[in-house]
Each structure stands twice: as structure tokens, then as C-alpha cells.
Amino acid sequence: MTESSAVQFDRVSVRYGQVTALRDFSLDVATGETVALLGPSGSGKSTALKALAGFVRPTSGRVLLAGQDVTGVPPHKRGLGVVVQQYALFPHLTVADNIGFGLRARRMRRAESARRVEEMLELVGMERYGRRYPRELSGGQQQRVAIARALAIRPPVLLLDEPLSALDAQLRADMLDELRQLRDELPDIAILYVTHDQTEALTLAHRIAVMRDAELLDLDTAQGLYRQPPSEFTAAFLGGANLLPATVRDANGTVDVGAVTVNAMAPGPLVPGAHVRLAVRPHTIGVRRDGSGLAAVLTGLQWRGANYRLTCLIAGLDEPGGVSVHADVPSVDGLPRVGSPVRVRLPEHGAAVVARAGAASTAGDAGESFPQNLAGVA
Ligand code: ADP
């Protein structure tokens, strides 16, 4: 922990009766930084946010804002900006009054408050909508107002809980661009962004905290986690990597996958002969009718608009039923039909060695951090 952190979770646990929603969670977020809490539904992301906002009381541990312990402080005294999925605007107030709500509560002078509201409307591109009521706005516009309202008090910390998940796909993409821009316009704020959507996390976050089973599993820069995933879970959850069994050939990251040898990125020196997993992104895999590569059978072909997703079953690789991989390719010209033999080509560079966790990792295992649980790292 550092003094300069805007937000600190210090070994926070939250239990609801028998359910542990958050276990021993520690995280620092600096001013100017956006951290995404990314994980599947039920992994504890919202609970972490609620503990910080003061909506739930930690069973143990502390939350700090700018170095001050606020664990027992009521939510309205924490001075945070909060945006949730369902906008939660006041239906009987105009857009301007919604945005100014927190300012009135803080007894800001009328003229100053009006100026601030204008500034916020401009920030979210809603200048002409101040007199409207929430019911007269689209979902995306309502969410912009909710963001403007959260920012009006100039909070040092902005919490966003799945803010785009109620919007349709196109609007979500547009709003994601806007949020990214907003992030860059707000250098004095720390942002904590809860999402189960990897694209949102990769687009917005400086760092991503991957959550699983109520615990923080991996934490790194968005690029770091994507390029060198520390765990199989993160490799698969962030970017849908294939995980292939591999054997280390030399310490620098040369590994064998069946009869094929590739140079992979490794988190540290590897132990020759060790069994590891290789994370390979679907768009880096090539599939051919013949030539070099791993012998496989094409078991599935799906058109996805921009590309085709092929599923190939690679025989052997020390797995009883073979190993199924996904490959995303721009065209299927020259490919045989589903059920026919193919050759799977792995990228010569760019795949990453990750931990080879036990097939059924327990929640306890998940807490062990890399590289301690990485079989084969020296
Ligand atoms: P996420 O935000 O990652 O979807 P949550 O933090 O909402 O996950 O929930 C974590 C776990 O805590 C889940 O198992 C969920 O069912 C449980 N949980 C959340 N809120 C409550 C509550 N108020 N009472 C009981 N269990 C809860």
C-alpha cells in the first residue's frame, strides 16, 4: 500500500450468511488510474464496489480513501461518484435537477450549481437536454445523465458497476468510446469499473483485476494480462485463449506441442522437460488442408460475419480424447468439410506459457498467486 493511493482495499472480506462474497481482497487504485474488476457473474465484483461505496460492511478488513480508513463511514459521507447498471435517476426531476441533486445536498450556491450542471451536461454531450425528464430519454442518454450526476460533485473516485450492460450492442460500443474519452479527460479521478465483459475491461482499464470465486486471481496491466496471462483462467476469460499441453524444451520459452516446436513468451526461465500450458489466441492459429502442423480433424465451422470460427480436434497431445482448439480465420476457401483431416498451425511467436493448474482447482488454489503455482518455472 502506498500513501498516494486514492483507493485501498486492505484484506476485505464480505460474508452474506453462509456465502462468502468476497475473500481477503486487497487492491490499490491510484489517482488518474482506471482499474477494471473483471470476472464472471457471482465472482464478487459488485460486492467489492459496494464495500468501497459503503453499501455493505466488510466482515473483516478495511477500505481506505486517500489514506483514510472509511470502513465505518456511511455512504453519503464518502463523497464518491457511483453509477450502476439501471441508471437510477429520479423520475420526477429534470435532467438538470438530477445532475444538480448532489450539489444541492452539499448546499452549493444556486449560480455555481447551475454552472456546474451546464459543465457536466457538456462533458457528456447532453447540452440541450437539461429540461427533459428521464422518461423522455433513451437508455444511453439516461446513462450519460447518471454519469454526469455522479461526476457533478467532483468526486475523487468514480465507481461504475456494469454501466453499459442494459444497452444494446451498437450503443454499448459507442458509449464505450465515450467512456474512454471521458476517462482521458478526468486525470484527477480514480475509476473502478466492474464488468464481466472483456472488451470493456481491455478498452477502458489501465489495469485489470481478474476476479474468480470471491477472490482476486490476477492483477496486471490490460496488455500484460492479455500477452502473458498468469493463469489458465485469465488466459481463457480474457481473449478466449486455447490452452494446449506443452513440454518445455529450453528455459527461454521454446516448447514442444506434440511434434511441433514453437517459441513462446514465458513469465520467467522455464525448467526443461516441465509440462506447461500454452495459451494460443484463436486468431493466431492457421488451419490448412495439408502441409505442416498438428494433425487434427475439423469438427466445427461457424460463420461469424467478420471471420469463421473453426473447431479442430487435435489427436494425442497426452490427452485421452485429444485437444479441441478454436481458430478464427478470415476465409474457409480451400478447406475440407467438417469431419475431414486438417493441419493446425500454431504461431511461431506470440503464444504464452501459463500455469498448468489442476483440472479441478479449488477456491483455495485460486488464491495462490503466480508464479508459485506455475509448474515448471525455475
Ligand atoms: P458479481 O458482481 O461478480 O456478479 P456479486 O458481488 O454480486 O458478484 O456476488 C458475489 C456472491 O455473493 C454471489 O454468490 C452472490 O450470489 C452473493 N450475494 C451478493 N449479494 C448478496 C446478498 N445481498 N445476499 C446474499 N448473497 C449475496
Side-chain angles (χ1 to χ4, degrees):
M1 276 197 291
T2 58
E3 283 299 314
S4 65
S5 294
V7 169
Q8 294 168 351
F9 291 88
D10 178 20
R11 309 195 62 172
V12 175
S13 293
V14 176
R15 266 203 310 273
Y16 298 108
Q18 296 299 307
V19 179
T20 299
L22 192 64
R23 188 180 296 111
D24 218 9
F25 180 74
S26 292
L27 174 71
D28 288 15
V29 186
T31 296
E33 187 182 33
T34 298
V35 174
L37 298 185
L38 175 72
S41 178
S43 56
K45 310 180 296 291
S46 294
T47 300
L49 218 64
K50 285 177 186 157
L52 184 65
F55 302 144
V56 299
R57 182 83 195 247
T59 318
S60 62
R62 304 180 306 159
V63 286
L64 297 90
L65 294 171
Q68 298 290 313
D69 185 344
V70 296
T71 315
V73 175
H76 66 277
K77 294 203 172 145
R78 297 191 186 193
L80 306 177
V82 182
V83 177
V84 296
Q85 182 181 341
Q86 291 297 348
Y87 329 134
L89 300 176
F90 302 112
H92 59 289
L93 296 183
T94 62
V95 164
D97 286 344
N98 262 285
I99 295 174
F101 187 83
L103 305 176
R104 281 195 299 287
R106 283 175 168 66
R107 306 193 188 290
M108 185 185 270
R109 289 196 353 268
R110 247 170 195 284
E112 196 184 340
S113 158
R115 263 201 308 279
R116 182 75 63 82
V117 168
E118 280 305 311
E119 191 188 317
M120 290 300 123
L121 283 169
E122 202 176 318
L123 184 70
V124 297
M126 297 276 293
E127 294 92 330
R128 292 180 292 112
Y129 293 85
R131 288 166 179 274
R132 293 226 194 157
Y133 285 88
R135 64 174 177 276
E136 299 169 327
L137 302 176
S138 71
Q141 290 170 333
Q142 290 188 49
Q143 197 54 297
R144 285 191 192 95
V145 175
I147 291 166
R149 182 178 61 179
L151 291 172
I153 59 167
R154 297 210 172 131
V157 178
L158 178 64
L159 307 181
L160 298 149
D161 192 351
E162 303 268 7
L164 306 184
S165 56
L167 307 176
D168 64 55
Q170 181 56 48
L171 195 53
R172 209 158 52 222
D174 293 347
M175 284 288 288
L176 191 53
D177 282 347
E178 288 177 28
L179 282 177
R180 166 84 193 212
Q181 213 174 328
L182 194 65
R183 181 201 88 173
D184 293 340
E185 287 170 23
L186 300 168
D188 299 329
I189 212 169
I191 300 178
L192 207 52
Y193 189 97
V194 162
T195 182
H196 63 276
D197 184 299
Q198 46 148 332
T199 307
E200 289 177 24
L202 287 169
T203 307
L204 285 175
H206 297 108
R207 287 190 301 156
I208 298 176
V210 178
M211 305 285 298
R212 186 180 72 167
D213 296 342
E215 293 187 348
L216 174 65
L217 178 65
D218 292 319
L219 174 68
D220 197 357
T221 60
Q223 291 206 354
L225 281 188
Y226 187 85
R227 288 196 184 143
Q228 184 71 69
S231 63
E232 292 187 18
F233 181 83
T234 294
F237 198 78
L238 198 65
N242 296 291
L243 291 159
L244 298 174
T247 307
V248 175
R249 186 182 271 259
D250 75 32
N252 297 329
T254 309
V255 300
D256 292 327
V257 181
V260 168
T261 302
V262 298
N263 295 310
M265 294 185 292
L270 301 172
V271 178
H275 297 291
V276 294
R277 294 260 166 184
L278 191 66
V280 192
R281 305 283 170 193
H283 70 272
T284 65
I285 293 184
V287 180
R288 306 269 187 284
R289 193 191 277 269
D290 40 37
S292 62
L294 296 162
V297 173
L298 185 64
T299 56
L301 189 157
Q302 206 179 55
W303 182 61
R304 296 191 157 196
N307 55 33
Y308 291 85
R309 167 149 292 194
L310 309 180
T311 308
C312 302
L313 184 65
I314 302 170
L317 298 187
D318 297 334
E319 302 272 329
V323 176
S324 198
V325 296
H326 292 306
D328 291 338
V329 300
S331 123
V332 291
D333 291 347
L335 263 192
R337 272 191 252 230
V338 171
S340 309
V342 287
R343 291 282 169 172
V344 169
R345 301 185 55 157
L346 304 180
E348 279 170 29
H349 303 277
V353 172
V354 294
R356 184 169 189 171
S361 304
T362 63
D365 290 339
E368 284 175 28
S369 66
F370 185 81
Q372 287 85 335
N373 65 344
L374 177 67
V377 169

